[in-house]
Amino acid sequence: MGYADLRELQTALTTASDIASSLQAAPTRRDADQLVDVLRQALTAASSLSTLTGPTGCAIHPHGAVDPLYGDPEDPLPPGYGKCLLCNDRRRRADARPHQPYHWDRQEHSLRRSA
């Protein structure tokens, strides 16, 4: 647990409280989504306070690099992305190119016997 992790949690909870306090009687979908995003950030920050996980909160790369786009309101990460830069990079690469199944032509690749 570091000071930065605790500060991130406090900031996320304060932001969530501000958003919740400013909600009208009938909040819009955008307001609700914004509140959910901030609460998810708070949950991620709270889970990283444990001494068992590192700053990324990632089970695979607990002490890896934190994605610089994490928490950026102008360029948010897609749903399902976390703080781990290594995992997010893997997801970005997978999303960048569509999956194309390998096609193997048996006739073209068969062994040719010499007579």
Side-chain angles (χ1 to χ4, degrees):
M1 171 176 95
Y3 177 75
D5 296 326
L6 185 58
R7 190 76 187 127
E8 183 177 349
L9 174 62
Q10 292 170 340
T11 301
L13 289 174
T14 301
T15 303
S17 177
D18 292 345
I19 292 170
S21 297
S22 68
L23 290 177
Q24 302 298 320
T28 65
R29 182 68 182 164
R30 182 175 174 264
D31 292 337
D33 288 342
Q34 186 179 18
L35 180 59
V36 167
D37 288 342
V38 173
L39 288 172
R40 282 192 181 124
Q41 289 176 4
L43 182 60
T44 302
S47 66
S48 71
L49 292 178
S50 168
T51 57
L52 299 176
T53 60
T56 63
C58 176
I60 301 169
H61 313 105
H63 299 289
V66 175
D67 194 328
L69 293 179
Y70 179 79
D72 186 354
E74 294 178 12
D75 190 13
L77 292 170
Y81 282 48
K83 290 173 68 174
C84 180
L85 178 63
L86 298 172
C87 289
N88 289 349
D89 184 55
R90 186 189 75 233
R91 289 182 186 105
R92 284 183 187 103
R93 290 172 190 251
D95 292 344
R97 55 183 149 77
H99 175 71
Q100 295 181 3
Y102 178 75
H103 178 70
W104 185 67
D105 187 355
R106 176 179 237 161
Q107 194 173 30
E108 189 176 309
H109 292 90
S110 65
L111 293 175
R112 298 176 191 217
R113 296 184 187 210
S114 42

